[in-house]
Amino acid sequence: MATNSGAPRQPFHLSMLFNDARYRGRTVQVIAFCILVLAAAWLVDNTVRNLAALGKDFSFGFLWSKAGYDIAPHAIDYSSTSTHARAALVGLLNTLIVAAMACVTATFVGVLAGALRLSDNWIVARLMTVYVECFRNIPALLWIIVVAAVMSEAMPAPNAFRGESPTASMLFWNSIAVTNRGIYLPVPDFSRSLGHAPGALGSFDLNYAAILAVLALWLLAHRGLLKHAEQVQSATGERPATWWKSLCVLIVPVVALLYAIGFHLDYPTLKGLNFTGGLQLRNSFIALWIGLSVYTGAFIAENVRSGILAISRGQSEAAHALGLSSGRTMRLVILPQALRIIVPPLISQYLNITKNTSLGLAVGYMDLRSTLGGITINQTGRELEGMLMMMLIYVAISLAISGAMNIYNNRVSLKER
């Protein structure tokens, strides 16, 4: 028997674009997109007209003119004779370096403070509460300035390390010097160096490239060992130990390579009025790094605390019933489940750290805001082009961080069956 599967389709009318629920959503989106395009076109046309009235044009040719100013520190080759494009790249790298280090430090501080705030020890829990409430309710700029003031005023001058009875001494077997000009650390050096090779961003050290290549090969070997262990476990029910094999695969090639290239540490030494050799961490970098870390770490601590509290208490009770200690229960049972709650707000904190690096201008740190958005604009008068480039760069960095963290969030999220 034939059955009528549905009512006959009505012919399409223009009124259905708004009256029919099948088309209404797309219609509103198309209209909103057209309005946005028209608004952007009006904004561009108005900007071009105003620039023409001021006798200016819209051009990025200033990027290839001589910068004429120095930048310290700089991760790639740079001098005052370099172009403004090179200066912007150096500032971008400085931004990425301090942002990456602050993200790592803030995560460590936040996870530690968030877990300790739930401690059964009353003193520890209250101390972490004081830390969270104090640091997150005071602007990050103030913490950055406080750290810069402490480093500049409370630390000894380099001449305090001089003489038979100096008033200051270096730390860790005379390898680290903390002064009012920064912190001086030992840096790796190679007596049988592989040399340097030219690159798009300047010459790069082949010694570090070789070390990274060995580490990459170790990761592949480590994954192979884990895969083999899983196969043995599936076949026999017993999982062979892989940690000592992985450790040997890592240590032997790395030690052999370091010996071949003559690895040693270059220690800072006091010569003249300042330390020479080693690696100098300037006060501006330290202030921005520590200030952003302790400020954002307070917010991450609350994210961690909320994620832990969202896990059922029965999980902890079951782990304790199996004989796991409190520390192992937190590390192996609670935190892995809490990551699906912690990671989404953690993305916002990483984005805040990246954007707050522009506060380094207050302590003299030469980041993207200080180079492209500061000195370059003042010298060239290209404020519109400079600000537009800065906005696009920050948007690209933010989207990259958000995309990477979302991929990680999908990996740690619970898989429903």
Side-chain angles (χ1 to χ4, degrees):
M1 179 182 296
T3 58
N4 188 6
S5 58
R9 298 178 62 89
Q10 298 179 356
F12 177 79
H13 300 286
L14 291 178
S15 60
M16 296 175 63
L17 293 176
F18 294 95
N19 298 329
D20 196 325
R22 294 175 298 174
Y23 307 103
R24 186 184 303 118
R26 295 182 180 179
T27 302
V28 172
Q29 292 180 12
V30 170
I31 293 175
F33 178 75
C34 293
I35 293 175
L36 180 62
V37 171
L38 291 176
W42 174 84
L43 182 62
V44 171
D45 179 70
N46 185 57
T47 302
V48 172
R49 290 176 181 271
N50 289 333
L51 288 175
L54 295 174
K56 291 185 175 182
D57 60 343
F58 188 79
S59 173
F60 292 95
F62 71 96
L63 291 174
W64 315 116
S65 60
K66 178 180 176 181
Y69 61 92
D70 295 323
I71 301 176
H74 48 84
I76 59 176
D77 297 336
Y78 176 83
S79 65
S80 58
T81 58
S82 301
T83 63
H84 285 291
R86 189 77 173 184
L89 180 59
V90 172
L92 173 61
L93 292 177
N94 287 344
T95 294
L96 295 178
I97 290 172
V98 72
M101 294 185 64
C103 285
V104 173
T105 311
T107 302
F108 174 78
V109 173
V111 172
L112 183 63
L116 291 181
R117 194 173 180 188
L118 299 174
S119 172
D120 295 332
N121 189 308
W122 187 88
I123 297 178
V124 172
R126 293 303 178 271
L127 286 177
M128 292 300 102
T129 301
V130 171
Y131 159 71
V132 170
E133 296 300 332
C134 289
F135 277 81
R136 72 173 183 167
N137 288 305
I138 296 178
L141 179 60
L142 294 183
W143 291 118
I144 295 173
I145 295 176
V146 166
V147 176
V150 170
M151 290 298 301
S152 300
E153 302 298 333
M155 298 297 108
N159 57 14
F161 296 82
R162 186 186 305 278
E164 297 181 355
S165 57
T167 58
S169 59
M170 300 178 67
L171 306 176
F172 300 105
W173 302 282
N174 294 328
S175 60
I176 299 177
V178 181
T179 73
N180 59 358
R181 298 182 182 180
I183 299 178
Y184 296 85
L185 305 172
V187 65
D189 197 6
F190 310 95
S191 58
R192 296 182 292 273
S193 175
L194 299 176
H196 294 75
L201 301 179
S203 62
F204 61 92
D205 198 330
L206 293 177
N207 302 292
Y208 293 106
I211 294 174
L212 292 177
V214 171
L215 293 177
L217 293 176
W218 169 75
L219 288 176
L220 295 177
H222 178 66
R223 293 184 61 180
L225 290 173
L226 292 179
K227 186 176 181 180
H228 174 72
E230 292 176 357
Q231 293 175 352
V232 173
Q233 183 179 13
S234 300
T236 64
E238 296 182 0
R239 185 181 181 89
T242 60
W243 65 269
W244 65 270
K245 300 178 183 178
S246 179
L247 195 61
C248 291
V249 173
L250 171 63
I251 292 178
V252 174
V254 170
V255 171
L257 175 62
L258 295 179
Y259 177 79
I261 60 181
F263 170 81
H264 63 278
L265 293 177
D266 179 20
Y267 293 94
T269 56
L270 183 61
K271 292 184 180 180
L273 301 178
N274 203 353
F275 282 89
T276 60
L279 173 66
Q280 180 187 7
L281 300 181
R282 296 176 177 269
N283 287 340
S284 57
F285 173 82
I286 296 173
L288 185 60
W289 174 28
I290 296 180
L292 292 180
S293 298
V294 296
Y295 174 75
T296 313
F299 290 90
I300 295 178
E302 285 298 276
N303 297 337
V304 172
R305 185 174 71 95
S306 62
I308 293 175
L309 290 177
I311 305 302
S312 172
R313 185 179 293 272
Q315 298 287 324
S316 302
E317 295 174 351
H320 291 155
L322 293 175
L324 295 180
S325 62
S326 299
R328 293 178 64 86
T329 299
M330 179 64 66
R331 182 169 57 89
L332 300 177
V333 178
I334 303 302
L335 282 180
Q337 298 183 72
L339 282 178
R340 61 188 178 90
I341 303 173
I342 296 173
V343 171
L346 187 63
I347 299 175
S348 299
Q349 300 305 328
Y350 286 169
L351 296 179
N352 289 337
I353 287 178
T354 304
K355 291 179 287 188
N356 284 338
T357 55
S358 59
L359 297 175
L361 179 66
V363 290
Y365 184 71
M366 300 295 288
D367 67 332
L368 182 65
R369 171 64 181 86
S370 300
T371 55
L372 177 61
I375 301 177
T376 294
I377 288 180
N378 292 334
Q379 288 185 356
T380 61
R382 295 288 181 173
E383 61 280 350
L384 179 62
E385 294 89 337
M387 288 299 172
L388 180 61
M389 287 186 61
M390 275 189 39
M391 289 192 298
L392 293 178
I393 291 173
Y394 277 116
V395 167
I397 296 174
S398 299
L399 292 178
I401 295 175
S402 179
M405 291 299 296
N406 280 321
I407 293 175
Y408 176 76
N409 186 39
N410 292 332
R411 292 185 59 183
V412 301
S413 61
L414 294 180
K415 304 297 188 296
E416 298 182 359
R417 298 180 179 178

